[in-house]
Amino acid sequence: MWQNLIQALKDLSDAYAALLSISGKKRAALVAVDLKGLEPIVEEEKQQLERIRVAEKSRQDALLALSGKIPSIHAATTMAEVEAECPQEFRALLKEIHGRLSKRVNDAQEASEANEFLIRHALGAVEYHLNRLSNSAIDPTYGETGKESVTREKKFDFKA
């Protein structure tokens, strides 16, 4: 039972490490505005997210099995409490793997937030250049619907 939990945590940790590596590639593609290079990275990211989902399910199943044998383990039990119930022979390994997993999850979350920031601002730059090309102007007041009033001058004849 404990081996199943430890293995599930290892699998989760490895999957998050791979996701973190992909996140670095994604950041490089976003900074370089390499949309062609971004497509395979997004597909690879989807595969890792599926791997994380499967590993998380294994972790939950292992904890469910443990909760059937150890009454003090339930849905609201913290990992520190689970570690306290763990036999001495597995405790150090469980603690080390959980610590590694926690760090990788935090690192992946920070990388995701950084990439989200880059995406948001890249879209803003694209919108700026599109508005500049189309000679858009935003009125200093809001329209009837409460949204900004944007006027665009038609500069291109798309039927040409």
Side-chain angles (χ1 to χ4, degrees), residues 57-71:
K57 176 81 169 94
S58 296
R59 183 194 68 81
Q60 290 173 355
D61 291 344
L63 282 172
L64 187 61
L66 284 171
S67 70
K69 302 271 184 187
I70 304 169

Side-chain angles (χ1 to χ4, degrees), residues 46-134:
K46 285 180 187 176
Q47 292 172 353
Q48 286 306 314
L49 290 173
E50 177 61 22
R51 184 176 164 202
I52 287 171
R53 189 193 64 73
V54 169
E56 176 61 21
K57 176 81 169 94
S58 296
R59 183 194 68 81
Q60 290 173 355
D61 291 344
L63 282 172
L64 187 61
L66 284 171
S67 70
K69 302 271 184 187
I70 304 169
S72 63
I73 296 178
H74 48 79
T77 303
T78 65
M79 198 59 189
E81 293 168 336
V82 171
E83 288 171 6
E85 293 293 330
C86 183
Q88 192 63 36
E89 61 193 89
F90 299 116
R91 192 173 295 158
L93 182 59
L94 180 65
K95 187 172 185 155
E96 185 250 320
I97 290 171
H98 179 256
R100 187 178 340 139
L101 174 60
S102 293
K103 181 175 180 349
R104 286 181 177 166
V105 167
N106 287 337
D107 290 347
Q109 187 174 16
E110 288 174 7
S112 175
E113 289 170 0
N115 285 344
E116 181 184 339
F117 176 82
L118 288 172
I119 290 168
R120 200 172 330 113
H121 288 283
L123 287 174
V126 167
E127 185 177 327
Y128 166 77
H129 287 292
L130 286 174
N131 285 338
R132 200 176 60 130
L133 286 171
S134 67

